[in-house]
Amino acid sequence: MLSKEYKTAPSKLPRMGDKTLRLYDTMSRQVKPVKLLEPGHLRFYSCGPTVYSYAHIGNFRTFLTADLIVRTAEAIGWRVSYVSNITDVGHLTEDDVADAAGEDKMERALRSKEGENFHNVWELAEYYESALQEDWQRLNLREPMVRPKATQHMREQILATEELIGKKSAYETPTGVYFDVESFPGYGKLSGNTQEGLKSSVRDVVADDNKRRQADFALWKKDEKHLMQWFSPYGWGFPGWHLECSVMAMKYLGETIDLHGGGEDLIFPHHECEIAQSETLSGKPFCDHWVHTRFLLVNGEKMSKRAGNFYTVRDLVGRGADPLAIRYALISGVYTKNLNFTDQSLSDATSNVERFRRADAVVDAALDSAGEGPDVFGSTLEDLYEEALEAMLNDLNTSVALAKALEGARTILREEGTISKAAAQSAKSFLDRVNALLGIVRHDVALPVTEAAPAKPAIDGARIQARIEERAAAKKAKDFALADAIRRELDAAGIELRDTPEGTVWVVKTASLS
Ligand code: AMP
Ligand code: ZN
């Protein structure tokens, strides 16, 4: 085969006994342990974005599932080879409903209003790729080991097409080269879309007389007018969308990989076609475990430009949202269920991230200046971290993991002012490990100064606290006019007060979704 395994440096991470990561596997329809072909080394491929526009927060929900898998695997001492691609050619507008139908998303973007900003489609791809990387960093996602691009793997895709034709699994027509799904009896094993079912279902929208059967999918499209085209044994054209992920996964991770991910819409046809191509090429199982993230909804609805509820990370950051709070809100629900992103969820996430930041600052101050004394936290923080990790190992139960982590932050904040050096050290270790696992305390890699933190309140923490106490005293004395005035004054300075069972807390006000 074409592939050569990509080597990485040996891991310096600690081994963590027999802990294992359990995830829902779309193929076997059950939660099962992720099996590693090579002990202690996870080979993971997650489908990345098509760079025809800014990635939206739904895309990021899926990328964050991959990020959490990487972080959780590393937390139990696995070395992770993580590959996430960039699709910059061949993803057609109707690829989800019919084979090779519609126009290339990249070409359509160039003809749109936004496209007027670019000289050509290559420049457009480059721009949105760097925008993606910025947003990726803002939301504190781990960089993949490789971020391969479809356009840079043309040779591999053409060779794979040749090999599939040679194996009689693909055939050429006047319009392109198609994979013969009947040559691969396992077609349909991931999605349940059998060849029989396909004849009368989703993919019969476009009838292409040149194909032997409707379900056969494109490996190569002949197109002399396409803006991105390469010369192949079948003339000028471009590859089908599914082929890039087969060749790039196998090139960088080997013919059999441990885990493959993406959003729920990729189960069919994209991943089904990847399996058929890869297993025919190598004669080996392609992937043992398939993980798919359910869609993000915004205010209960599917995100769409037409519904006006379509948000990118930069939209929200531009309105003052804290990037780590966006991250927090996007991971607050388990990936196997739809998640509803609302003003309330973003605002709750903002207060929670603020709690982690304050705990971090309190601990840093104590490390600088605290005196000797007992570690008041005893094993409490250690136990909370272990519970958070267990939750993540159990099919990425982020809601439980975040709740445990938050309980730890609250425990630290309750001891503010009385923390000894020893206690500060165990609190620091807790926050560091929580951050490595969930990425919500601080950025792993510092952002440029202008973006590092959300808009600062016009007044400092001590003064806000003093005003909160004055407001509590005013309420007690039934001077509601004064209490309201204090709330309004803080509101005008960008501070929102929340009355909770644990007392009044303050948060920096954030973006609104409406
Ligand atoms: P695309 O840029 O269209 O290739 O999509 C990149 C990734 O985002 C794919 O894995 C999609 O399945 C995923 N995705 C698209 N929309 C959503 C959504 N609303 N929620 C979660 N994931 C999504
Ligand atoms: Zn893919």
Side-chain angles (χ1 to χ4, degrees):
M1 243 308 293
L2 342 140
S3 67
K4 217 172 173 201
E5 198 193 329
Y6 197 89
K7 295 267 185 287
T8 53
S11 169
K12 293 198 184 68
L13 295 165
R15 291 263 175 275
M16 301 276 288
D18 53 5
K19 280 194 192 304
T20 194
L21 170 58
R22 294 166 58 78
L23 295 173
Y24 183 81
D25 170 34
T26 311
M27 181 78 84
S28 60
R29 294 166 178 67
Q30 59 176 330
V31 177
K32 63 171 203 181
V34 175
K35 274 199 300 207
L36 305 180
L37 212 61
E38 184 192 318
H41 178 196
L42 173 67
R43 290 173 234 224
F44 175 33
Y45 186 94
S46 177
C47 290
T50 309
V51 286
Y52 64 99
S53 181
Y54 296 115
H56 57 65
I57 53 174
N59 301 134
F60 270 100
R61 173 171 209 223
T62 292
F63 306 150
L64 280 162
T65 302
D67 179 69
L68 291 170
I69 289 173
V70 173
R71 287 169 180 272
T72 307
E74 285 182 355
I76 56 169
W78 289 0
R79 173 161 74 96
V80 184
S81 293
Y82 166 41
V83 177
S84 182
N85 66 306
I86 295 277
T87 298
D88 52 358
V89 67
H91 192 173
L92 305 186
T93 50
E94 284 160 47
D95 255 332
D96 50 341
V97 288
D99 179 58
E103 33 174 352
D104 194 308
K105 293 190 180 192
M106 305 296 298
E107 285 197 357
R108 195 183 54 171
L110 190 69
R111 286 194 290 96
S112 71
K113 186 91 192 93
E114 289 84 33
E116 288 169 14
N117 297 317
F118 306 99
H119 292 101
N120 57 46
V121 72
W122 299 93
E123 195 182 278
L124 179 143
E126 212 169 285
Y127 173 81
Y128 287 117
E129 184 191 337
S130 57
L132 172 94
Q133 301 220 15
E134 271 172 32
D135 292 345
W136 195 276
Q137 226 195 327
R138 280 183 172 125
L139 294 201
N140 201 22
L141 283 97
R142 288 283 162 87
E143 256 318 285
M145 174 184 85
V146 198
R147 208 191 273 286
K149 286 195 229 179
T151 52
Q152 290 180 351
H153 293 77
M154 217 35 72
R155 186 171 179 276
E156 288 87 342
Q157 292 178 83
I158 293 171
L159 284 175
T161 307
E162 280 292 89
E163 205 173 322
L164 290 169
I165 293 175
K167 289 186 168 185
K168 307 247 173 303
S169 290
Y171 58 90
E172 187 180 348
T173 75
T175 61
V177 179
Y178 295 91
F179 187 95
D180 176 350
V181 295
E182 227 156 71
S183 73
F184 185 72
Y187 194 73
K189 63 184 172 182
L190 181 69
S191 60
N193 287 332
T194 59
Q195 289 174 40
E196 271 313 303
L198 281 171
K199 284 184 187 143
S200 59
S201 73
V202 283
R203 288 166 75 74
D204 58 359
V205 177
V206 171
D208 183 338
D209 293 341
N210 301 295
K211 295 203 299 190
R212 289 184 192 157
R213 57 191 66 74
Q214 238 129 42
D216 291 355
F217 59 88
L219 299 171
W220 189 264
K221 288 287 284 179
K222 297 180 183 178
D223 188 349
E224 291 189 353
K225 297 211 178 77
H226 200 267
L227 292 180
M228 298 167 118
Q229 50 175 289
W230 290 262
F231 192 68
S232 73
Y234 341 101
W236 291 98
F238 62 97
W241 171 40
H242 318 304
L243 192 54
E244 63 174 275
C245 289
S246 282
V247 303
M248 298 192 295
M250 292 198 285
K251 173 169 176 170
Y252 295 104
L253 296 171
E255 288 171 336
T256 301
I257 65 175
D258 303 308
L259 185 66
H260 195 315
E264 60 175 317
D265 58 329
L266 299 191
I267 299 172
F268 186 85
H270 189 55
H271 288 162
E272 197 72 76
C273 298
E274 264 189 58
I275 295 171
Q277 295 162 158
S278 307
E279 298 198 349
T280 306
L281 285 166
S282 71
K284 296 180 187 158
F286 175 45
C287 177
D288 187 56
H289 206 129
W290 291 85
V291 63
H292 291 102
T293 304
R294 297 295 300 273
F295 268 15
L296 179 81
L297 306 175
V298 172
N299 292 326
E301 286 174 39
K302 192 166 187 281
M303 235 189 315
S304 79
K305 286 210 165 122
R306 205 175 312 149
N309 64 354
F310 184 94
Y311 295 102
T312 63
V313 172
R314 55 200 55 221
D315 288 335
L316 295 174
V317 170
R319 294 168 190 209
D322 175 349
L324 286 187
I326 303 173
R327 176 184 172 96
Y328 195 112
L330 289 175
I331 66 171
S332 61
V334 290
Y335 76 97
T336 45
K337 294 203 173 92
N338 286 121
L339 177 73
N340 195 15
F341 193 87
T342 61
D343 275 338
Q344 189 59 49
S345 67
L346 182 57
S347 146
D348 291 347
T350 306
S351 338
N352 289 335
V353 166
E354 198 51 47
R355 282 197 178 93
F356 282 108
R357 280 214 186 92
R358 285 198 345 247
D360 211 23
V362 162
V363 168
D364 279 347
L367 281 175
D368 270 354
S369 57
E372 299 306 316
D375 176 359
V376 282
F377 300 123
S379 67
T380 313
L381 295 179
E382 182 66 35
D383 293 347
L384 285 170
Y385 172 76
E386 285 304 322
E387 285 163 19
L389 177 59
E390 273 313 312
M392 292 302 282
L393 291 170
N394 186 14
D395 204 15
L396 301 187
N397 192 335
T398 42
S399 353
V400 171
L402 288 169
K404 297 291 175 190
L406 200 55
E407 204 178 318
R410 287 198 169 107
T411 305
I412 295 169
L413 286 171
R414 272 199 296 273
E415 299 301 327
E416 185 176 356
T418 63
I419 300 176
S420 68
K421 198 143 243 153
Q425 273 153 359
S426 62
K428 185 76 184 162
S429 151
F430 170 79
L431 289 171
D432 285 352
R433 285 188 298 160
V434 159
N435 200 43
L437 184 65
L438 300 167
I440 34 90
V441 182
R442 54 186 114 85
H443 282 89
D444 297 325
V445 177
L447 290 182
V449 176
T450 46
E451 295 210 20
K456 284 262 173 289
I459 43 183
D460 67 37
R463 185 151 142 60
I464 297 169
Q465 205 51 49
R467 293 301 275 158
I468 288 177
E469 276 154 31
E470 281 163 37
R471 176 170 167 266
K475 273 167 75 171
K476 210 165 168 193
K478 303 214 180 313
D479 185 351
F480 296 113
L482 176 60
D484 282 349
I486 294 173
R487 179 192 278 281
R488 276 198 304 276
E489 169 204 313
L490 291 174
D491 192 74
I495 302 299
E496 183 186 329
L497 296 188
R498 302 238 178 103
D499 295 318
T500 76
E502 293 157 1
T504 302
V505 294
W506 60 271
V507 293
V508 179
K509 281 198 301 181
T510 186
S512 158
L513 293 182
S514 47

